Amino acid sequence: MKKQGVLLIVLSLLTINVFAQETYLDIVLNYTPTSMSFGSNNDAIKDFKKGYWGLQAGASLQMGITDHFSIVPELYFVMKGTKLNANNPLTYQETRIRFNTLDMPVLARLHLCDLYFNAGPVISYNIGGRVKTEGTETLEPKITKMSFGTSSLTYSRWDAGLQFGLGYEIQLKKSRLVVDFRYHYGMVDMGNGTELYNRYFNMNILLAKKWKKNPLSKAKTKDLALWETVDNHPFAAQGN
């Protein structure tokens, strides 16, 4: 009986994917607002700050592990930044800051019926960017291409932080519709000492079809066959 118990425990662990969440590949194509935090200057500047609307495009792969849990790696390009109105205490001119970024989140997803919760780290790589200032009566308009490095006159090439939020799935006949709400909390000072952080809330609406094969559930058929073997094993017969 001890051997039978150990065998059943092992097989239970092996067959965790039998009732796994299904796998979906979501194509992300969105026009979304982002914003930035100015650290200790954020309170002084918040009345002059507005979100920056930009393109977000890429893919999100939900890989089911259990009935209530999945891993979601993502990769997408996003234009992110912020806008400062004229007479702000930092630049005094109307200013637009924009980063062209590759975001690479890896999220843990907890499913509760059609509702889910996300959380996980994100690494970002800045491909390029610019700072655009509008002209005034005494100053000419100017567009400055960002330089990346580690000095105080450059911007950070890399960013890292956390993403977390929730979403709701609407199951359709051959696909699903998802409404995803998420907050991006950047931890790296993008201004190398000037206190400039990517921190924003956005919403995505995604339409996706099921993935043909779950990369985390390849052994599903073998596991089921193994259970059938156990049911017909002499140990199981003795237990009955």
Side-chain angles (χ1 to χ4, degrees), residues 13-225:
L13 294 175
L14 290 174
T15 55
I16 192 170
N17 290 326
V18 172
F19 304 103
Q21 275 285 328
E22 293 172 315
T23 292
Y24 289 91
L25 177 65
D26 296 286
I27 302 301
V28 180
L29 184 60
N30 195 27
Y31 190 60
T32 185
T34 62
S35 187
M36 306 194 80
S37 171
F38 291 83
S40 58
N41 294 311
N42 206 55
D43 288 339
I45 208 170
K46 65 181 181 181
D47 292 334
F48 299 89
K49 185 175 66 171
K50 290 187 177 181
Y52 184 95
W53 286 81
L55 175 69
Q56 181 184 11
S60 173
L61 180 64
Q62 176 186 295
M63 299 186 291
I65 296 179
T66 73
D67 191 34
H68 298 288
F69 184 73
S70 59
I71 296 294
V72 186
E74 298 180 331
L75 176 63
Y76 45 81
F77 169 82
V78 58
M79 295 177 179
K80 61 177 70 172
T82 195
K83 176 185 175 182
L84 301 177
N85 288 334
N87 301 316
N88 69 81
L90 287 184
T91 66
Y92 304 104
Q93 297 172 259
E94 183 177 311
T95 304
R96 289 178 175 86
I97 302 171
R98 188 183 85 188
F99 291 90
N100 298 324
T101 305
L102 287 177
D103 277 357
M104 296 165 278
V106 179
L107 307 174
R109 179 168 289 176
L110 177 64
H111 300 263
L112 299 174
C113 297
D114 293 326
L115 183 70
Y116 65 77
F117 297 90
N118 283 328
V122 55
I123 296 175
S124 304
Y125 179 80
N126 292 307
I127 302 170
R130 71 180 191 182
V131 179
K132 181 180 180 181
T133 52
E134 298 295 333
T136 65
E137 294 180 356
T138 57
L139 296 171
E140 293 291 328
K142 185 167 67 171
I143 298 177
T144 304
K145 184 179 179 180
M146 286 183 178
S147 296
F148 295 94
T150 57
S151 69
S152 59
L153 299 177
T154 62
Y155 295 86
S156 175
R157 180 72 77 177
W158 291 92
D159 190 11
L162 298 172
Q163 289 189 359
F164 50 88
L166 55 85
Y168 188 79
E169 302 176 343
I170 302 172
Q171 300 297 331
L172 305 176
K173 188 174 182 180
K174 294 184 179 181
S175 60
R176 69 167 185 175
L177 183 68
V178 176
V179 182
D180 185 277
F181 301 91
R182 198 176 300 180
Y183 186 74
H184 179 108
Y185 185 84
M187 297 180 178
V188 176
D189 181 359
M190 304 306 298
N192 291 324
T194 60
E195 292 192 294
L196 191 62
Y197 301 91
N198 281 304
R199 293 174 184 173
Y200 55 88
F201 170 86
N202 69 0
M203 182 188 78
N204 287 323
I205 299 177
L206 310 171
L207 180 63
K209 290 187 176 182
K210 294 179 184 178
W211 193 247
K212 292 182 179 180
K213 181 176 286 189
N214 186 343
L216 299 182
S217 301
K218 292 180 179 179
K220 189 179 293 186
T221 304
K222 293 181 180 179
D223 290 341
L224 288 172

